[in-house]
Amino acid sequence: MQIIFLLLISIILGWVTKKLGFATVVGQLLAGVIIGPALLGLVHESHLLHLLSEAGVWLLMYNAGLETDVGELRQNFRAANAVAVMGVLVPLITFPMAALWLGYGLTHAIFWGIVFAATSISITIAVLSEQNKLGSKVGTVILGAAVLDDIMALILVTVFSLFVGGGSLGITSLMPIIIFGLGLLSRQFVFSGQVLHYTELIGNWSVFPLFFGSIGLAVTFDGIEKTWPIIIVMSLLAVASKFMGAGLGAKLVKLNRHESRAIGAGMISRGEMALIIAQIGVGAHILSAGVFSEFVLVIMIATIVAPLLMRPLFAKI
């Protein structure tokens, strides 16, 4: 009954936040925070919920592979690669430096960089579609760079969790990237579009809301009075590192100022991929519950801010 209740509230709040112009994932995260131990305490984590959430991660990764157009990546590889590399390098350098300055240990500091190297494809697609920029040069470069970002981030977290984490094989190590690869292979078949349609339909009404809702359940506000300055600093860095890094990558391949700024804004959103990587960190015993809550709150803030910056900058192209 708790799982059904979490599913219903996650779907409802996801729909509400989407109607308000924000990402669905924000509402689903808030559902877990509100009805979970952090606030009302109506729903708690369980073994069955963990299994369903893990299924949600795997289905998300499979769909990400199905949605990745390798041919399109090849056509815009130079620009997308420059944006992706700079969009990964800047967070990988700045986040660990900031985390060490704020008092984190080296392992947590490096993991901040890995988590915020990722970009949310789904939220970016939604805003590009809304602005009729999905098929534009800027749209193609952003999508290609976001895919490359996520691949790099997945490889980084896989290697890092295997060598540093204490978790077992499975979601904590190789499974997400293996399933992403299966999605890439499945895309080669003519029926891949139908498969994607049905897996999204099933996921959107079952395991996806449960996965994001369950992450909300893990959020705790214990000690928030001490950590709120950290959350503010890291949230500003989450926005600035992608905006400047990806924007610089766009300038390196001779895109103009408006295009570079739009691409930088389009890469800010972290959303589901950053949450998956942070969850891998928990499973591999890299992150504690308290630190995980800080990651989730910063991801939520970056996910809310991103569309607000994207819309005016896309309109200038």
Side-chain angles (χ1 to χ4, degrees):
M1 290 302 295
Q2 286 192 22
I3 290 171
I4 293 170
F5 184 56
L6 175 63
L7 176 62
L8 289 174
I9 299 299
S10 297
I11 290 172
I12 291 168
L13 286 186
W15 177 82
V16 169
T17 52
K18 186 176 181 180
K19 286 294 181 182
L20 292 173
F22 300 108
T24 303
V25 65
V26 173
Q28 293 171 347
L29 284 167
L30 285 173
V33 174
I34 292 168
I35 66 175
L39 291 177
L40 299 180
L42 300 175
V43 178
H44 297 82
E45 295 179 88
S46 66
H47 181 64
L48 177 58
L49 180 57
H50 172 74
L51 293 176
L52 292 170
S53 300
E54 190 164 310
V57 174
W58 293 351
L59 192 56
L60 276 166
M61 296 312 305
Y62 182 71
N63 283 359
L66 278 175
E67 291 173 333
T68 302
D69 190 333
V70 177
E72 195 172 89
L73 273 178
R74 287 198 197 101
Q75 290 176 10
N76 299 276
F77 183 76
R78 182 170 172 268
N81 187 55
V83 171
V85 169
M86 294 306 299
V88 167
L89 277 179
V90 173
L92 275 179
I93 294 169
T94 56
F95 267 97
M97 290 172 62
L100 289 171
W101 174 66
L102 289 167
Y104 289 93
L106 183 61
T107 299
H108 284 164
I110 294 171
F111 207 74
W112 272 105
I114 293 173
V115 168
F116 287 91
T119 297
S120 171
I121 298 173
S122 62
I123 295 161
T124 305
I125 287 174
V127 179
L128 284 168
S129 178
E130 171 195 296
Q131 296 276 336
N132 295 316
K133 297 288 192 299
L134 204 52
S136 67
K137 181 180 179 181
V138 166
T140 305
V141 170
I142 290 173
L143 292 180
V147 170
L148 290 172
D149 263 14
D150 291 346
I151 292 171
M152 285 188 274
L154 277 171
I155 292 170
L156 285 170
V157 73
T158 299
V159 173
F160 194 71
S161 63
L162 283 172
F163 284 96
V164 178
S168 58
L169 289 175
I171 191 173
T172 60
S173 50
L174 297 175
M175 284 305 292
I177 199 164
I178 290 172
I179 292 174
F180 180 83
L182 287 175
L184 281 175
L185 291 174
S186 300
R187 186 182 171 87
Q188 309 309 310
F189 297 101
V190 292
F191 53 81
S192 63
Q194 288 179 305
V195 172
L196 179 60
H197 170 74
Y198 287 112
T199 52
E200 281 189 336
L201 187 65
I202 293 167
N204 286 335
W205 291 95
S206 59
V207 288
F208 296 166
L210 285 176
F211 168 62
F212 294 120
S214 70
I215 287 178
L217 295 181
V219 171
T220 175
F221 293 131
D222 293 341
I224 192 72
E225 67 281 354
K226 297 178 181 177
T227 59
W228 67 264
I230 293 173
I231 293 165
I232 291 173
V233 170
M234 290 310 204
S235 297
L236 291 171
L237 193 57
V239 174
S241 61
K242 276 290 184 182
F243 184 75
M244 295 174 68
L248 178 59
K251 287 180 180 177
L252 290 175
V253 290
K254 310 300 182 186
L255 293 177
N256 67 43
R257 185 181 64 175
H258 291 309
E259 290 172 333
S260 298
R261 287 180 176 177
I263 287 170
M267 299 293 288
I268 289 171
S269 180
R270 301 315 201 275
E272 71 283 349
M273 188 57 69
L275 290 168
I276 289 169
I277 293 170
Q279 186 71 16
I280 291 171
V282 174
H285 306 301
I286 295 170
L287 300 181
S288 64
V291 176
F292 178 69
S293 296
E294 295 164 16
F295 275 72
V296 172
L297 290 171
V298 174
I299 291 167
M300 287 175 67
I301 292 167
T303 304
I304 290 169
V305 169
L308 301 178
L309 291 176
M310 279 189 270
R311 291 187 178 102
L313 291 172
F314 285 163
K316 291 182 179 180
I317 301 172

